[in-house]
Amino acid sequence: MRVTTSFPLGTLRDTPSEAEIISHQLLLKAGYIRRVNSGIYAYMPIMLRVIEKISAIIERELNSIGCTKLLLPQLHPADLWKKSERWEGYTAGEGIMFNLKDRQGKEFGLGPTHEEVITSIASEIINSYKQLPQCFYQIQTKFRDEIRPRFGLMRSREFIMKDGYSFHYSGKDLASFYERMGDTYENIFKSCGLQTVGVEADSGAIGGAASKEFMITADAGEDSILFTQSGSYAANIEKAISIPSQPIPLKDSISGIIETPQQKTILEVCKNNNLDPSQVIKVVVFLAKFEGKSECPILACIRGDQHINEVKLYNLINKLHTPNLLKLQKIEDKNIIDKNLVNFPLGFLGPDLGNQTIKASSNWDKKWIRIIDHSASNLPKFISGANKVDLHKVYEEFSFSSTEYLIEDIRNAKKGDKIKIDHNEELEEKKGIEIGHIFQLGQKYSEKLNAKFSDKDGQLKNLWMGCYGIGVTRIAQAAIEQNHDQKGICWPIQISPFEIIIIPTNLKDPIQKDLTEQIYSNFLINKVEVLLDDRDDRAGVKFKDAELIGIPFQIIIGRDSVNKEVELICRKNNTKLKISADKLLETFISESEIMYNKNSQC
RNA sequence: CGGGGCGUGGCGCAGCUUGGUAGCGCGGGUGCUUUGGGAGCACUAGGUCGCAGGUUCGAAUCCUGUCGCCCCGACCA
């Protein structure tokens, strides 16, 4: 490709002010993407090459384990989503599915994910266990009406994703395929030249049993991951399970009511009364809103030095109740409290708060759902609110197991926690960018969409399903977050738009020009992905642009052309090799091979 | 949705307090010079100052409304 005639670069001198994180700034400045609207981007030619590189790697690896590529529609009829009971959750309120009506008033959604569509189609073509297992995938634009799009392609409203769906005759077959897919994902990311970590994950709105996320570690990441140094454990903080530190026992001498005027937080209570947070149980109130408008108030209790994990709490409540849980929110708003609760001493709540605090006129359920975390359930003696303003009290021999309390894990694991009692390894924390996620869906969708097959015994059974996503455009940006320097992008060669860029420093010099053309055509003939910067610009401009766009190798053709000598430069570590033009191709091939094999090290 | 910030040429910004011919740097075009690290000189094109009302002889500037974007949070794959 020639910059002047077929491949305009569109680099910018200044960084557009809208970009905050480095990878987003570089994508814009180096001319890879242009913003069209909030969370909507055009992929420029140079970006498309990166996308196609990543896609090709994904296709190669998935095909190697027998997956089949197809292309599904983006307009999804509402009926399908109503069958899976996701329509309301995905469109109402803060749902993320764009939706619209056709000229006849029929409702449609723009596909944010494709479980419904693929399941309904698979059920039509899969009749017998003999056709199983089967895995279909596509690489296509997804639409999500994110509440707040941000960081360029990291969280955009329109993005390219590889999504795959597998079908099985048993949970066991699904589980083994899921493991295989996990290995394939590792290969894909390694083939892209990326460092990733696989972590246990919450399965979120997609639902299902096991799920694993693949993260690129980077400070700009939106997720927190907890892991042990040895690699024996790694999980998203939403899912991570650990052992909390030991509580400090309360003194025997303390008992009865404690006056705590204006002390509404754990910290204030501890500071003023010489207590440790681990001696306190905090009571947090939530409201669960279910599909069909029913609402239940929740008392969630946890040791004072720990934090409630709202994802765990959400999943727990969703599991316990039949209508789908739409929303879980903390009750803090005074208007809501006044309307639904009476004698409600917020800030001084204890675990024995009575059901009579819920007003008869409220449309809430008239009974608190009571949940306590393991960290607090067996404290023999603890401090908590006395259910009266400005008072706390010492609870002794309060038994959660004999009351209406559910004892569950609703706690955020944290840095420094141990993962096993007899083990000294402590959890560490890092930020990560989620680029892949695999799920064992089980039979959730096949049940709802009536997707059945005949088993060996002739009985109709629900298909077992898995689903597997990779954020293609997100990988591209995350790769930059992981591979850049002060000058610009340093692509891993595996996903770089070109392998090499030729920079003639002065095209008016006929010797340089001839040598440039000769080298360029030689590279083309030998199928090297080469970009020729044939602009009539000063050398400095071309050097800067080449560094900015981040192609791993540069050939500088300059003064030494008279002697048929050029320079070969490695973008990443800036090594320069002065070399005869005759040996250029073979040197490049061996150098680039090293780079391909060594995961983008020169 | 709550809080904060910003809308002025392709990009980055000044001008607004105190109303009076719409500016600067970069980028674009033409010409000459220059040519290994974002060149110099000269000429040049390009803007309904987000939009709509209002105040005024006169509004980028003041007032009201509205739309959009960015950041933090809430929320969410």
Side-chain angles (χ1 to χ4, degrees):
Chain A
M1 291 287 186
R2 289 170 192 267
V3 170
T4 52
T5 54
S6 53
F7 210 82
L9 288 178
T11 53
L12 302 172
R13 185 71 168 257
D14 301 304
T15 304
S17 59
E18 70 199 45
E20 190 75 2
I21 62 173
I22 187 73
S23 54
H24 185 195
Q25 291 175 347
L26 288 172
L27 279 173
L28 288 166
K29 191 178 179 201
Y32 282 83
I33 58 173
R34 307 281 306 188
R35 193 182 66 85
V36 173
N37 205 294
S38 175
I40 302 175
Y41 292 87
Y43 310 120
M44 300 312 284
I46 192 169
M47 183 64 184
L48 186 58
R49 291 183 70 99
V50 176
I51 291 169
E52 283 170 348
K53 282 275 183 77
I54 297 168
S55 302
I57 292 168
I58 293 173
E59 282 186 38
R60 187 189 71 210
E61 295 296 326
L62 289 181
N63 292 347
S64 79
I65 59 164
C67 300
T68 317
K69 192 177 173 194
L70 48 51
L71 193 56
L72 299 167
Q74 290 167 316
L75 273 173
H76 297 191
D79 289 355
L80 261 182
W81 283 72
K82 285 178 180 165
K83 278 187 195 159
S84 69
E85 293 169 37
R86 290 209 293 179
W87 179 258
E88 198 181 336
Y90 267 75
T91 57
E94 283 164 354
I96 55 154
M97 184 154 67
F98 288 102
N99 55 92
L100 55 111
K101 284 181 182 158
D102 71 6
R103 62 179 71 232
Q104 279 128 32
K106 232 176 100 178
E107 288 182 296
F108 290 88
L110 276 179
T113 177
H114 282 70
E115 283 81 11
E116 283 78 2
V117 172
I118 192 70
T119 307
S120 88
I121 289 173
S123 75
E124 288 169 21
I125 59 168
I126 297 172
N127 304 309
S128 158
Y129 73 94
K130 293 175 193 164
Q131 294 167 283
L132 296 171
Q134 199 72 248
C135 182
F136 299 107
Y137 72 96
Q138 60 172 345
I139 296 174
Q140 197 209 40
T141 299
K142 293 275 182 287
F143 300 90
R144 292 186 188 172
D145 191 1
E146 294 287 348
I147 293 174
R148 182 147 94 89
R150 57 182 131 179
F151 304 145
L153 306 182
M154 288 295 190
R155 185 167 294 272
S156 52
R157 297 195 291 174
E158 198 187 306
F159 59 97
I160 298 175
M161 179 173 173
K162 185 287 296 180
D163 51 328
Y165 307 88
S166 70
F167 300 90
H168 309 268
Y169 50 79
S170 69
K172 203 178 154 198
D173 190 56
L174 165 61
S176 79
F177 187 82
Y178 169 88
E179 288 303 321
R180 209 161 153 217
M181 188 59 90
D183 294 342
T184 304
Y185 268 42
E186 301 276 2
N187 291 340
I188 289 171
F189 302 133
K190 206 180 287 168
S191 300
C192 289
L194 300 170
Q195 317 279 330
T196 57
V197 192
V199 301
E200 286 180 31
D202 175 63
S203 48
I206 305 272
S211 103
K212 190 173 180 185
E213 286 171 333
F214 295 84
M215 300 282 199
I216 287 185
T217 53
D219 291 337
E222 295 187 273
D223 291 285
S224 287
I225 56 183
L226 292 166
F227 58 97
T228 56
Q229 196 61 52
S230 71
S232 57
Y233 184 78
N236 190 311
I237 196 162
E238 294 177 347
K239 171 88 174 184
I241 297 166
S242 68
I243 295 164
S245 57
Q246 283 297 313
I248 298 171
L250 266 180
K251 286 185 195 128
D252 291 338
S253 57
I254 191 165
S255 68
I257 301 283
I258 307 167
E259 287 188 25
T260 51
Q262 299 294 315
Q263 299 164 23
K264 290 189 172 186
T265 66
I266 301 277
L267 276 178
E268 287 163 355
V269 172
C270 290
K271 202 177 132 199
N272 290 303
N273 301 282
N274 196 25
L275 297 166
D276 184 81
S278 69
Q279 299 163 337
V280 182
I281 286 184
K282 71 176 154 192
V283 180
V284 186
V285 285
F286 290 89
L287 183 65
K289 293 184 175 173
F290 295 95
E291 225 167 67
K293 304 241 162 109
S294 65
E295 300 184 337
C296 293
I298 290 157
L299 280 188
C301 305
I302 195 163
R303 216 172 73 193
D305 60 330
Q306 304 294 323
H307 290 282
I308 288 181
N309 179 321
E310 292 189 24
V311 173
K312 288 182 182 177
L313 185 62
Y314 185 101
N315 289 340
L316 176 66
I317 294 164
N318 204 21
K319 204 172 71 187
L320 292 172
H321 290 259
T322 30
N324 279 332
L325 178 55
L326 286 182
K327 195 175 172 179
L328 182 68
Q329 65 183 86
K330 251 190 206 167
I331 302 177
E332 283 165 326
D333 187 86
K334 199 175 173 298
N335 292 333
I336 295 177
I337 291 173
D338 288 346
K339 192 182 161 201
N340 298 286
L341 296 163
V342 62
N343 294 330
F344 190 69
L346 192 64
F348 305 93
L349 302 177
D352 52 355
L353 184 77
N355 289 331
Q356 73 277 7
T357 44
I358 305 165
K359 276 189 186 171
S361 61
S362 166
N363 56 1
W364 292 358
D365 213 57
K366 296 304 178 296
K367 216 168 160 186
W368 292 98
I369 297 175
R370 294 165 193 269
I371 299 163
I372 183 148
D373 183 71
H374 295 297
S375 64
S377 63
N378 51 13
L379 289 177
K381 186 176 177 184
F382 61 87
I383 311 279
S384 193
N387 296 317
K388 283 189 187 128
V389 172
D390 293 346
L391 295 177
H392 279 70
K393 77 176 183 190
V394 180
Y395 287 76
E396 294 184 68
E397 289 168 21
F398 185 89
S399 167
F400 287 97
S401 51
S402 65
T403 51
E404 288 176 336
Y405 270 91
L406 283 167
I407 302 173
E408 296 282 350
D409 173 28
I410 54 167
R411 188 180 63 92
N412 248 358
K414 58 182 183 183
K415 185 169 69 174
D417 284 352
K418 291 186 170 56
I419 50 162
K420 282 183 196 152
I421 292 171
D422 53 350
H423 216 281
N424 271 333
E425 274 197 300
E426 287 186 357
L427 288 177
E428 295 179 33
E429 182 172 351
K430 267 192 189 170
K431 290 286 179 191
I433 299 163
E434 179 199 349
I435 54 164
H437 200 161
I438 60 176
F439 304 80
Q440 290 186 38
L441 293 176
Q443 295 171 304
K444 176 176 167 178
Y445 292 91
S446 56
E447 270 169 25
K448 301 223 157 121
L449 293 158
N450 197 30
K452 296 184 189 302
F453 69 100
S454 298
D455 206 352
K456 280 178 189 164
D457 52 14
Q459 298 293 305
L460 281 182
K461 291 194 176 146
N462 290 316
L463 285 161
W464 289 81
M465 289 177 60
C467 92
Y468 318 93
I470 294 180
V472 175
T473 39
R474 191 183 269 189
I475 283 187
Q477 185 168 343
I480 296 173
E481 200 64 38
Q482 206 170 58
N483 298 282
H484 69 270
D485 61 18
Q486 300 81 347
K487 296 174 187 166
I489 301 167
C490 308
W491 286 113
I493 193 166
Q494 295 88 340
I495 59 172
S496 173
F498 294 93
E499 296 174 299
I500 193 160
I501 179 169
I502 301 175
I503 305 170
T505 57
N506 184 0
L507 278 170
K508 292 213 175 88
D509 174 356
I511 300 173
Q512 288 190 28
K513 190 170 161 88
D514 286 350
L515 188 60
T516 298
E517 289 298 333
Q518 199 183 313
I519 290 171
Y520 177 59
S521 59
N522 192 30
F523 273 66
L524 277 184
I525 291 163
N526 286 279
K527 303 262 189 267
V528 178
E529 293 168 15
V530 58
L531 180 65
L532 171 58
D533 191 349
D534 56 349
R535 288 178 296 177
D536 185 21
D537 263 308
R538 296 170 70 85
V541 174
K542 298 201 250 189
F543 293 157
K544 291 284 187 207
D545 273 350
E547 282 155 355
L548 182 59
I549 64 178
I551 293 164
F553 289 101
Q554 303 164 358
I555 300 169
I556 313 296
I557 299 172
R559 299 185 194 103
D560 298 326
S561 299
V562 233
N563 308 319
K564 292 240 164 200
E565 272 189 348
V566 300
E567 277 175 291
L568 181 65
I569 298 179
C570 170
R571 167 70 181 88
K572 193 159 198 167
N573 56 17
N574 204 29
T575 50
K576 286 182 193 165
L577 211 58
K578 197 170 259 191
I579 189 170
S580 152
D582 302 333
K583 290 187 180 150
L584 180 59
L585 183 67
E586 60 177 301
T587 310
F588 163 74
I589 288 171
S590 67
E591 289 288 319
S592 65
E593 223 142 74
I594 294 168
M595 203 187 258
Y596 273 107
N597 293 333
K598 271 169 115 188
N599 239 4
S600 79
Q601 297 292 309
C602 283

